[in-house]
Amino acid sequence: MYVRGMTFIDEYKPRHLTLTPESPTFWRVTFDNPPVNVIDAEMMGDLKVLLTELEQNETVNVVLFDSADPDFYLAHYDLAGDPSIAEALPSATGYPAWVDITVRISKLPQVTISAIRGIARGAGSEFVLATDIRFASVEKAILGQMEVGFTAVAGGGAGGRLPALVGRGRAFEILLGGDDFDGALAERYGYVNRAVPDAEFEAFVDAYATRVSNWDHRALGEIKGFINKYTRLPDEEFPLHSDAFWGAAARPEFQSVAAQLFDNGLQQKSPLEYHLGEEIAKIKPAAGK
């Protein structure tokens, strides 16, 4: 059993996250799942424990999510793992595992900030879309939703969150094209709040997070409450995305694409992972029956 507050930090032993209390009101969560920070069942278990603490915590004002790997923020969902392991984890919402996490992140009382310095595709992109604020390195950030190349829809709610941020036409462009967006273009589209030169990135993000963490806890919560009221879809919309994704994942076309990508270095520090938005367009799925 985990105890709230500083005891929680002392007792919390995550496998793929590092939790650093920068101050009593500002926590830093660093993803660390080599080789490319895929979102696997163990990382989802870590996130669920963290979310349970944050949902009850009345001291922390800001949670900043960053990565130990400067090249990969969150590469994508773990396509080599057994999805039933993640689905067996407790679900506070009753929704599928990844939907449970993204819905809960979007409703946390704390201000959540994604510091994107590296690649965030697929579920990695869906994670940052579920946070309140997204800052990106101009030189190092890459975002994208490549699920269409797998013959699938984005399963974690990108189709429900992107339109409010980038508009209907650009949401279509992102989801139908399946390509990569660098930090500068992501900022132009509204995919991220701001793109910051990499040399200035850490100092800028830390200064912003520190500033916000010093405000009144109640005021921050009320501001979030009003913005969420007017901009969030109902929670029950998001399991529909997950059902569609996993339905596609069972089809031979999806499995054919995944197998070809694994043969070429998927989930490794390979040229394919660095350029997946470009490379996935070269893959031809086997015909379904």
Side-chain angles (χ1 to χ4, degrees):
M1 178 178 295
Y2 296 105
V3 181
R4 293 194 295 141
M6 298 306 291
T7 304
F8 169 81
I9 296 172
D10 295 335
E11 295 185 6
Y12 180 38
K13 304 297 182 185
R15 290 155 291 189
H16 297 310
L17 307 176
T18 300
L19 176 58
T20 305
E22 301 290 352
S23 77
T25 58
F26 173 16
W27 282 6
R28 181 187 304 274
V29 177
T30 303
F31 300 117
D32 190 7
N33 188 17
V36 295
N37 274 346
V38 294
I39 300 166
D40 60 13
E42 288 189 346
M43 181 181 284
M44 285 190 276
D46 291 342
L47 283 168
K48 284 173 181 274
V49 172
L50 175 67
L51 289 170
T52 299
E53 161 62 20
L54 291 171
E55 286 162 346
Q56 306 171 75
N57 191 297
E58 298 178 356
T59 302
V60 176
N61 286 340
V62 170
V63 184
L64 175 66
F65 294 93
D66 62 14
S67 172
D69 188 329
D71 290 341
F72 290 90
Y73 183 80
L74 287 170
H76 47 72
Y77 197 90
D78 177 18
L79 294 174
D82 179 353
S84 67
I85 298 174
E87 297 306 331
L89 296 169
S91 174
T93 60
Y95 297 150
W98 188 235
V99 176
D100 177 63
I101 289 170
T102 55
V103 165
R104 291 168 70 189
I105 288 171
S106 72
K107 297 172 69 176
L108 284 175
Q110 295 81 17
V111 177
T112 53
I113 302 172
S114 292
I116 311 162
R117 196 183 189 196
I119 294 168
R121 294 192 187 99
S125 167
E126 290 169 336
F127 179 90
V128 304
L129 290 172
T131 60
D132 299 321
I133 297 169
R134 290 154 298 284
F135 294 128
S137 163
V138 172
E139 294 89 347
K140 296 192 70 68
I142 297 289
L143 296 96
Q145 298 285 165
M146 73 300 187
E147 290 85 352
V148 67
F150 283 91
T151 73
V153 302
R161 293 189 174 94
L162 272 171
L165 296 172
V166 305
R168 182 172 182 268
R170 285 174 170 168
F172 276 131
E173 181 183 348
I174 293 166
L175 294 170
L176 297 180
D179 207 347
D180 290 340
F181 287 74
D182 62 25
L185 186 57
E187 178 193 55
R188 178 181 168 190
Y189 273 37
Y191 204 153
V192 301
N193 291 66
R194 189 184 303 201
V196 181
D198 194 67
E200 305 167 18
F201 184 72
E202 289 186 18
F204 171 83
V205 173
D206 287 357
Y208 182 85
T210 300
R211 176 184 175 89
V212 175
S213 73
N214 289 325
W215 300 136
D216 178 72
H217 186 81
R218 176 196 52 79
L220 293 174
E222 290 184 355
I223 291 167
K224 281 199 60 170
F226 280 117
I227 293 174
N228 283 343
K229 176 181 178 181
Y230 302 127
T231 60
R232 289 184 66 254
L233 289 176
D235 294 347
E236 58 268 22
E237 292 292 322
F238 292 105
L240 305 176
H241 302 234
S242 179
D243 291 346
F245 175 84
W246 289 114
R251 293 197 291 264
E253 298 94 334
F254 184 106
Q255 294 171 14
S256 168
V257 171
Q260 292 178 69
L261 290 172
F262 275 110
D263 286 344
N264 286 283
L266 190 70
Q267 299 192 183
Q268 300 298 319
K269 282 206 167 181
S270 65
L272 181 133
E273 273 288 4
Y274 280 95
H275 305 286
L276 186 57
E278 176 184 350
E279 294 298 319
I280 198 169
K282 302 175 184 177
I283 302 296
K284 304 302 179 185
K289 295 182 180 179

